[in-house]
Amino acid sequence: ASIAMLLFASVHSVDDNGPADYPSIVAAIAAAQPGDVILVEPGTYTAFTLTKRLTILGSPDQRPKVTGESMVTGPESLTLAGISLDRLLIDNVPGPAVIDDCEIGNAPFPVGYFLGGLQCQDCDEVLISRCEISGGSESSADAVGLAFSRAHVVDSVLGGANGVTNFWSEGYKGGDGLRCDASFVVVSGCSMTG
């Protein structure tokens, strides 16, 4: 069924440096209809907010970089694949939320209002596969935080932040690789530190 849906979806191209339908992910999301596919070429893009069911795919040659804090809130489902993001918050997704072959985290501390690489809350079917997710450096942020969610994490590397000591405090403890609050998670073939 999902392959058939992709066959009838409109495809939008994004390239910050050349010929494409749109110069930014934000513009492509605004123009796309639920179920559409957005293909993102290598480059550097600003954070986005996604509120509708879309598939966003990065270039297979080199991941596009999304700076800042991207948010997904309320679509019935989503797929993000082959993208590098500073931070990602996924909230209130009742259907499948697929995050595949992405790099998330490693942003300067702090970015936005939440800490950590990937945070999922109130999500029913999260699949994280083949990803490298970090809580960042010099903070107490977790790589992945789950709250009131169900998730499968497969063949991924999760690393909590290293912590920091500075002159005005005794420092922060490092972050967890995976933190679960009132959540159910299945982990397979992963490496976790934190």
Side-chain angles (χ1 to χ4, degrees):
S2 61
I3 292 174
M5 289 172 38
L6 287 176
L7 293 176
F8 296 107
S10 293
V11 177
H12 307 272
S13 62
V14 176
D15 193 338
D16 68 341
N17 212 14
D21 297 328
Y22 302 96
S24 71
I25 297 171
V26 172
I29 289 171
Q33 296 300 309
D36 285 356
V37 176
I38 297 174
L39 301 177
V40 185
E41 292 297 319
T44 302
Y45 302 91
T46 58
F48 57 84
T49 298
L50 178 60
T51 60
K52 51 190 157 184
R53 179 177 50 89
L54 295 176
T55 297
I56 301 177
L57 305 174
S59 169
D61 300 327
Q62 181 181 0
R63 288 184 182 108
K65 173 69 175 163
V66 178
T67 61
E69 182 179 285
S70 295
M71 299 180 75
V72 176
T73 180
E76 59 189 66
S77 63
L78 74 123
T79 299
L80 297 176
I83 299 175
S84 176
L85 301 112
D86 281 349
R87 302 257 190 264
L88 179 61
L89 171 64
I90 302 175
D91 182 34
N92 194 27
V93 177
V98 178
I99 312 300
D100 181 52
D101 192 28
C102 291
E103 291 179 354
I104 305 173
N106 294 318
F109 172 74
V111 172
Y113 78 90
F114 76 92
L115 300 176
L118 171 63
Q119 303 294 314
C120 301
Q121 56 193 37
D122 297 316
C123 296
D124 292 340
E125 300 177 49
V126 179
L127 172 61
I128 301 165
S129 62
R130 304 181 310 144
C131 292
E132 292 183 29
I133 306 175
S134 169
S137 61
E138 298 186 4
S139 74
S140 60
D142 305 322
V144 175
L146 300 171
F148 306 101
S149 297
R150 296 176 58 84
H152 284 79
V153 185
V154 181
D155 298 330
S156 296
V157 177
L158 312 179
N162 298 327
V164 65
T165 301
N166 54 44
F167 65 90
W168 64 81
S169 74
E170 293 182 21
Y172 300 101
K173 73 170 188 74
D176 295 324
L178 175 63
R179 177 179 297 270
C180 299
D181 297 312
S183 296
F184 175 82
V185 63
V186 175
V187 179
S188 175
C190 294
S191 169
M192 288 188 277
T193 58

